[in-house]
Amino acid sequence: MSDFKLADRLSTLPPYLFAAIDKAKAEVAAQGMDIISLGIGDPDLPTPDFIIDALHVAAKKPRNHQYPSYVGMLAYRQAVADWYKERFTVDLDVTTEIVSLIGSKEGIAHFPLAYTNPGDLALIATPNYPVYGIATNFAGGEIEYLPLLEENDFLVDLDAVSNDTWAKAKMIFVCYPNNPTAACATRKFYDRLIEKAKEFNVIVVSDAAYTEIYYDPENKPISILECEGAKDVAIEFHSLSKTYNMTGWRIGMAVGNSNLIAGLGKIKENMDSGIFQAVQEAGIAALKEGEPYAERFRAVYKERRDVVSAALSKVGIQHRVPDASFYIWCHTPKGYTSSEFVTNVLKQTGVVLTPGPGFGTPGEGYFRISLTVNNERLEEAVSRISNL
Ligand SMILES: *Cc1c(COP(=O)(O)O)cnc(C)c1O
């Protein structure tokens, strides 16, 4: 047997926090219990037919069978620009301020390679999507985690970060609407973030994957690019995945500061060759004509949110009713750690929840419910938990 030693960068990966849950899940499944997973952040609803039809047509065109460009078809970038204009009243230059992504995870994972030297500091708002930290580690960067606390509505307390830390930081990662806490950014928060970033020459990385999963059309989540001066410091990652139920398709975009877009583009130019053009054509259809469908999906999530929220209140599980995202961030009942509670629920009911610390230390005392299962299963899960 050969003994190939893994590269050191893989030993910097954080410990796998779901090991206990996975073990319990295997045990429960072995007993024949019916498992309902409220753990996965992946829409269960299918991609709308008109998008699939657009793929069919586009896949038949021979010119789509050749290498695409990493930057994305002009028509795709134009559709992104039109969508940002329509949705956020943000103007984007199609040639310099947009790059296509093979899903926003791809872009987020590659971005630190363009701007992080070994030892450079990244600030990461936590609990968080794990890719920010892993990508920073892979690029050799250092991390300081900034806790998202309920008393601050899960917004980063920007003024609690010392000037010394700001001065050392190369970039800051934020995600609103937030996964996992479901919090939304205010304009005031983004304004202050831009101010700090300008003062200390820090790159703002905004992960905006959930802006279209909202519940109050009068109070839609905003893009940081709506705020004055954002283009001086910010790159925003967005995606068709959550909006149009297209997680499997791998299509997204980075938009914003033209230098940052060019830097990310340089990495991509050397690592990948873009998105299959037929998928881009389907993406164009989604961006142009997807809004009525997105509206229907929001109605589905809203119904689910209300069913689950009412049931949680009934059993005394404290939580905020989310304004956006398809997650509910809940307090663990007194007397349990997150992991103990989640394991206990799984063993007794077969319902899988995600323990908060899986997203970072400040997630202790919380668990996450995902609303990505159908009503029937959701009601079944909720009724089992109610009978605990
Ligand atoms: C799902 C998700 C993404 C990435 O989605 P892609 O499918 O790669 O576009 C990015 N950020 C957060 C917080 C997510 O939950």
Side-chain angles (χ1 to χ4, degrees):
M1 256 314 254
S2 307
D3 180 19
F4 299 121
K5 197 170 167 294
L6 280 170
D8 292 343
R9 73 177 61 83
L10 289 178
S11 68
T12 66
L13 287 174
Y16 184 61
L17 282 145
F18 302 118
I21 306 296
D22 284 353
K23 188 162 163 268
K25 202 166 143 184
E27 279 167 25
V28 167
Q31 289 161 17
M33 201 187 272
D34 168 43
I35 289 181
I36 305 177
S37 179
L38 306 185
I40 303 163
D42 188 352
D44 58 305
L45 301 168
T47 306
D49 277 340
F50 85 95
I51 300 174
I52 299 166
D53 294 343
L55 176 71
H56 271 255
V57 173
K60 298 244 184 196
K61 297 181 193 166
R63 68 176 153 79
N64 284 341
H65 302 163
Q66 293 184 285
Y67 283 122
S69 80
Y70 76 90
V71 75
M73 296 162 77
L74 184 61
Y76 175 68
R77 284 175 288 142
Q78 187 62 55
V80 169
D82 293 346
W83 185 80
Y84 255 81
K85 179 74 179 167
E86 170 76 22
R87 170 64 176 86
F88 299 114
T89 61
V90 167
D91 287 299
L92 294 170
D93 182 320
V94 177
T95 53
T96 59
E97 295 179 333
I98 303 173
V99 66
S100 70
L101 298 174
I102 310 167
S104 60
K105 180 179 183 180
E106 177 266 302
I108 293 165
H110 280 147
F111 184 70
L113 291 178
Y115 287 96
T116 303
N117 280 320
D120 282 352
L121 182 67
L123 307 178
I124 299 178
T126 187
N128 63 288
Y129 184 59
V131 181
Y132 318 141
I134 289 165
T136 301
N137 276 329
F138 281 0
E142 304 289 325
I143 297 167
E144 181 156 328
Y145 286 101
L146 308 178
L148 299 177
L149 305 175
E150 191 154 2
E151 69 230 44
N152 300 324
D153 296 325
F154 299 110
L155 298 175
V156 185
D157 187 351
L158 299 167
D159 293 296
V161 179
S162 72
N163 283 351
D164 196 39
T165 300
W166 278 113
K168 272 194 267 177
K170 180 79 192 222
M171 63 181 77
I172 178 168
F173 289 87
V174 296
C175 170
Y176 293 106
N178 186 252
N179 177 8
T181 67
C184 291
T186 58
R187 211 166 282 272
K188 192 169 151 231
F189 170 77
Y190 278 150
D191 284 340
R192 184 74 182 130
L193 177 58
I194 292 163
E195 205 168 69
K196 282 284 186 187
K198 279 189 180 176
E199 183 182 350
F200 293 98
N201 197 36
V202 174
I203 297 165
V204 175
V205 180
S206 164
D207 180 352
Y210 292 96
T211 64
E212 302 319 292
I213 317 294
Y214 56 80
Y215 301 105
D216 177 5
E218 300 302 309
N219 192 18
K220 295 180 194 173
I222 60 172
S223 157
I224 193 171
L225 296 176
E226 291 177 46
C227 301
E228 207 179 310
K231 273 196 202 168
D232 293 334
V233 289
I235 183 167
E236 182 157 271
F237 290 88
H238 213 309
S239 171
L240 278 60
S241 286
K242 310 290 163 58
T243 311
Y244 308 112
N245 306 329
M246 293 176 72
T247 49
W249 295 60
R250 313 313 303 135
I251 180 166
M253 60 278 207
V255 300
N257 179 281
S258 57
N259 289 328
L260 299 177
I261 295 295
L264 174 59
K266 266 213 159 358
I267 297 294
K268 287 179 58 59
E269 193 180 352
N270 288 287
M271 304 255 284
D272 68 61
S273 299
I275 313 162
F276 180 28
Q277 289 198 1
V279 169
Q280 293 188 57
E281 289 199 27
I284 293 167
L287 289 166
K288 279 191 197 302
E289 295 152 50
E291 185 50 26
Y293 298 84
E295 203 170 306
R296 265 174 251 161
F297 304 148
R298 284 191 284 270
V300 170
Y301 292 130
K302 187 164 192 224
E303 194 183 331
R304 294 176 181 178
R305 178 198 72 166
D306 294 342
V307 164
V308 174
S309 176
L312 291 170
S313 298
K314 201 172 129 226
V315 290
I317 289 178
Q318 215 190 318
H319 63 285
R320 290 187 171 204
V321 181
D323 293 325
S325 85
F326 43 59
Y327 302 115
I328 304 184
W329 189 237
C330 307
H331 281 270
T332 343
K334 284 215 161 29
Y336 295 95
T337 65
S338 295
S339 176
E340 282 165 0
F341 180 70
V342 165
T343 308
N344 193 37
V345 168
L346 175 58
K347 285 187 174 156
Q348 292 190 38
T349 69
V351 175
V352 180
L353 307 166
T354 309
F359 303 98
T361 318
E364 183 51 72
Y366 294 91
F367 64 91
R368 191 190 75 177
I369 289 179
S370 177
L371 301 172
T372 52
V373 298
N374 69 37
N375 264 338
E376 192 193 337
R377 297 294 278 167
L378 207 51
E379 279 168 26
E380 168 68 20
V382 156
S383 111
R384 289 190 208 166
I385 295 174
S386 311
N387 293 328
L388 253 186

